[in-house]
Amino acid sequence: DMESIDKLPTTFARLICLDEEWEKINALSSSNLLSLTHPHHLAYAIYTSGSTGKPKGVLIDQGNLLHYINNSKATYPLSHEGATLLHSSIAFDMSITSLFLPLVIGNTLHIASAQIQGDSLEEINNKLSQLSAIKLTPTQLGALKETLSTHVMDNRERCFIIGGENLLKEDLSPWLNNQAFAYATLLNEYGPTEATVGCCVFEISDLESSLQASVPIGRPISNTQIYILDSNLNPVPIGVTGEIYVGGAGLARGYLNKPDLTADKFVPNPFANEENVKEGKSLRLYRTGDLARFLPDGNIEFLGRIDDQVKIRGFRVELGEIESALSQYGDVKQAVVTVREDQPSDKKLIAYVILQESLTSSLVKGPTLLSSSQQEFTILSGDILPALTEALRNHLARSLPDYMIPSFFVFLNKIPFTANAKVDRKSLPAPDFNGDADSYVAPRNETESELCSIWEEVLGLPSGSVGIHGDFFKLGGNSLLAIRLVSKINTAFSRHVSLQDIIKRNSVSEISSLFQETVEILEYGEI
């Protein structure tokens, strides 16, 4: 009204008084204004890191965004009564779902403060019972499962959209078996930023019959094509691993000011037909770098990144397969496996393990470490860990070849996150190796002393860290390093020690005993 106008600050903008000018306003057209925005116009650019470590801007059109939001609106059972929490940075495309989806259906949107967005678990935990929908990463879902018993939930329909990383069955069991979440719908959403947030979805209900450790990523959403191809762009058979290629209405323009990278990642669609060419649609595919396979029921199982496929001693290793096997051990809550190459051509697998609460309470915390998002975490130590490490090695040996057994196990109180709530692999600490300190026995003579020095040189360990009972392979050795060890022993002692000797007698004391046996045979003859 006119009284309110006097209270407003001075401005160059035209002020309209509704009660005074209503007759004039009422005579105007009530139709929507003509939109000047078209589907091919740019909606946003989101920067995402790549294997090179250099961020690249992904260009998403209005049509891409509208396609994703319309599909989500039709697919995800969102209640109009509850609220949705925007808890991640808007620089991460996970925020697209949390921001736009509640607004287009008339839901309430809670926006977390910028101060807590780097570590939003506390805010999620506080508001969980009020929410009708939330989007989480598997890492966040796994961390939240410890507090499920504290929530008093009503019978409101809820929707949990999980995406951003590989989702394991172990992370879901507390949710599926909790009556408080009986009315919740859990959805595993897959999609690179280049395919506009999500291009494949799987509704999680009963996973008991599933033999896979990972939760399937489901099937492509509407107007989307997903192919699993070999290196020659040929479709692979059901059950065979290949690379995911995505096409359809969600495909981004490409990368900002990076035409070469765009051409490399967005390739011509070899399956485009004459109708596609005529309409100018589905002419490109995005090469994701993700590995997957089709399951017999038509769903897709995500198997990790091609980047995560590393060569260890000439063998191709998928880190996700080791992580999955570790997570199946009862005392392990979460595991991350990485590769370190502290010496040239000597790659070692390192397992970072989070234990169940019943075990961590008896362990000692080390100095505080910080992730890139300033999240605090620590290395744990304790008397039970050597035996547990041995148990984990034995557990892995039942299902994995020896070259996939990690050389070192590091126990943490929590896995560090990036600002985008993904595992911060760059912040994972190097193993703080102290040799076989827990069972260290010093060398008793000159032969054992020299053998210990050779052990340390080959393994790249500090001087004085290897005792006479230290197991070569448990100290980080492998078959290639064993060949180097044999060569150095034979040169230093002018003896013939074979690779089989090292495999059967893998400690300094046993090799020293072998020398003594050889001397006795030479002196007295074989009995």
Side-chain angles (χ1 to χ4, degrees):
D1 54 24
M2 293 300 294
E3 293 181 5
S4 300
I5 287 181
D6 296 334
K7 299 176 183 178
L8 295 175
T10 303
T11 174
F12 292 104
R14 181 190 171 194
L15 298 176
I16 299 174
C17 183
L18 293 177
D19 53 355
E20 293 287 330
E21 301 183 54
W22 181 248
E23 287 188 15
K24 187 187 299 184
I25 295 171
N26 196 38
L28 298 174
S29 172
S30 60
S31 59
N32 289 332
L33 295 174
L34 180 64
S35 174
L36 299 178
T37 302
H38 295 281
H40 65 275
H41 288 164
L42 186 69
Y44 60 82
I46 277 189
Y47 280 81
T48 177
S49 62
S51 56
T52 63
K54 295 181 179 179
K56 49 192 186 291
V58 181
L59 302 173
I60 301 296
D61 289 342
Q62 297 283 350
N64 302 144
L65 176 60
L66 189 62
H67 165 253
Y68 172 73
I69 295 299
N70 281 339
N71 181 84
S72 300
K73 181 181 176 182
T75 305
Y76 299 157
L78 299 184
S79 169
H80 293 265
E81 299 176 358
T84 301
L85 178 66
L86 175 60
H87 59 87
S88 60
S89 166
I90 59 171
F92 180 30
D93 70 351
M94 185 169 126
S95 64
I96 299 298
T97 316
S98 303
L99 177 60
F100 291 107
L101 193 53
L103 296 180
V104 299
I105 68 167
N107 207 325
T108 302
L109 177 64
H110 290 303
I111 302 177
S113 65
Q115 286 75 19
I116 64 96
Q117 284 182 6
D119 187 6
S120 55
L121 286 174
E122 184 177 354
E123 182 79 1
I124 297 170
N125 194 42
N126 290 339
K127 293 188 178 296
L128 193 59
S129 60
Q130 307 168 32
L131 302 177
S132 61
I134 188 168
K135 190 161 190 181
L136 302 165
T137 64
T139 305
Q140 291 171 324
L141 188 79
L144 284 171
K145 67 184 179 184
E146 301 301 323
T147 65
L148 289 188
S149 59
T150 65
H151 293 287
V152 179
M153 312 295 280
D154 56 30
N155 293 339
R156 183 189 309 156
E157 191 176 40
R158 287 180 169 80
C159 180
F160 292 83
I161 305 165
I162 307 152
E165 294 174 302
N166 190 25
L167 177 61
L168 300 177
K169 285 168 60 177
E170 286 77 9
D171 291 330
L172 283 171
S173 54
W175 299 78
L176 294 175
N177 300 327
N178 192 313
Q179 285 302 312
F181 295 88
Y183 294 90
T185 299
L186 297 172
L187 298 146
N188 190 24
E189 183 186 79
Y190 164 83
T193 301
E194 290 84 349
T196 314
V197 188
C199 60
C200 201
V201 68
F202 178 76
E203 183 172 341
I204 303 159
S205 52
D206 180 18
L207 292 174
E208 294 299 322
S209 59
S210 174
L211 299 178
Q212 292 79 30
S214 297
V215 177
I217 58 174
R219 303 168 187 256
I221 64 174
S222 63
N223 298 316
T224 299
Q225 299 84 47
I226 288 187
Y227 302 93
I228 300 180
L229 309 178
D230 62 17
S231 57
N232 295 315
L233 297 185
N234 295 315
V236 298
I238 292 173
V240 175
T241 300
E243 183 178 359
I244 297 177
Y245 285 73
V246 183
L251 218 58
R253 285 188 194 178
Y255 300 112
L256 179 64
N257 298 328
K258 292 183 180 292
D260 292 343
L261 183 61
T262 298
D264 179 55
K265 289 292 188 178
F266 294 84
V267 299
N269 183 0
F271 309 104
N273 53 36
E274 290 183 8
E275 186 179 346
N276 296 142
V277 174
K278 185 177 180 180
E279 296 177 350
K281 295 179 180 179
S282 299
L283 301 180
R284 300 178 305 151
L285 296 178
Y286 171 63
R287 185 162 58 88
T288 65
D290 291 333
L291 297 171
R293 63 181 176 182
F294 279 111
L295 300 175
D297 62 1
N299 285 304
I300 298 171
E301 181 189 11
F302 177 83
L303 298 173
R305 292 282 303 164
I306 289 179
D307 306 338
D308 290 341
Q309 279 195 331
V310 295
K311 285 285 189 75
I312 300 290
R313 287 134 59 190
F315 297 99
R316 187 178 295 278
V317 173
E318 292 184 18
L319 302 181
E321 190 175 349
I322 307 172
E323 293 171 352
S324 176
L326 277 171
S327 297
Q328 293 174 28
Y329 190 77
D331 291 331
V332 174
K333 180 167 36 172
Q334 190 178 2
V336 173
V337 178
T338 64
V339 176
R340 294 187 67 89
E341 191 173 3
D342 295 322
Q343 296 185 69
S345 302
D346 181 19
K347 293 179 179 177
K348 286 186 170 67
L349 293 170
I350 314 296
Y352 296 88
V353 179
I354 309 299
L355 298 172
Q356 301 290 356
E357 293 292 337
S358 56
L359 292 178
T360 55
S361 58
S362 64
L363 301 177
V364 178
K365 291 185 177 181
T368 299
L369 305 173
L370 287 177
S371 71
S372 60
S373 62
Q374 301 303 301
Q375 175 199 19
E376 295 183 353
F377 66 103
T378 62
I379 299 175
L380 301 176
S381 60
D383 295 337
I384 66 170
L385 294 186
L388 182 57
T389 299
E390 184 67 16
L392 289 174
R393 281 200 175 98
N394 293 336
H395 166 73
L396 293 176
R398 295 188 189 101
S399 58
L400 300 176
D402 65 332
Y403 59 83
M404 292 180 71
I405 309 298
S407 299
F408 301 107
F409 291 77
V410 180
F411 297 89
L412 305 176
N413 68 327
K414 66 172 73 171
I415 293 294
F417 296 167
T418 64
N420 292 344
K422 294 186 179 183
V423 175
D424 188 357
R425 293 178 181 269
K426 292 182 180 179
S427 294
L428 293 169
D432 184 14
F433 185 79
N434 59 359
D436 55 339
D438 296 319
S439 57
Y440 180 83
V441 176
R444 297 164 294 189
N445 52 52
E446 188 176 340
T447 297
E448 290 182 347
S449 180
E450 190 164 354
L451 284 170
C452 285
S453 297
I454 293 174
W455 245 249
E456 290 160 358
E457 180 185 352
V458 170
L459 293 170
L461 301 177
S463 177
S465 62
V466 174
I468 63 172
H469 298 310
D471 186 313
F472 177 77
F473 296 100
K474 291 179 182 177
L475 294 174
N478 55 51
S479 57
L480 289 181
L481 291 179
I483 294 171
R484 288 178 55 194
L485 183 71
V486 167
S487 175
K488 287 188 174 294
I489 291 174
N490 290 339
T491 300
F493 292 94
S494 301
R495 304 282 176 86
H496 178 70
V497 174
S498 69
L499 183 60
Q500 286 301 315
D501 291 330
I502 299 298
I503 293 173
K504 293 177 181 177
R505 302 168 178 251
N506 44 36
S507 69
V508 166
S509 63
E510 289 178 293
I511 294 297
S512 179
S513 298
L514 177 65
F515 287 173
Q516 185 61 35
E517 291 170 12
T518 305
V519 169
E520 290 174 355
I521 290 173
L522 291 173
E523 289 182 356
Y524 305 109
E526 191 167 0
I527 298 174

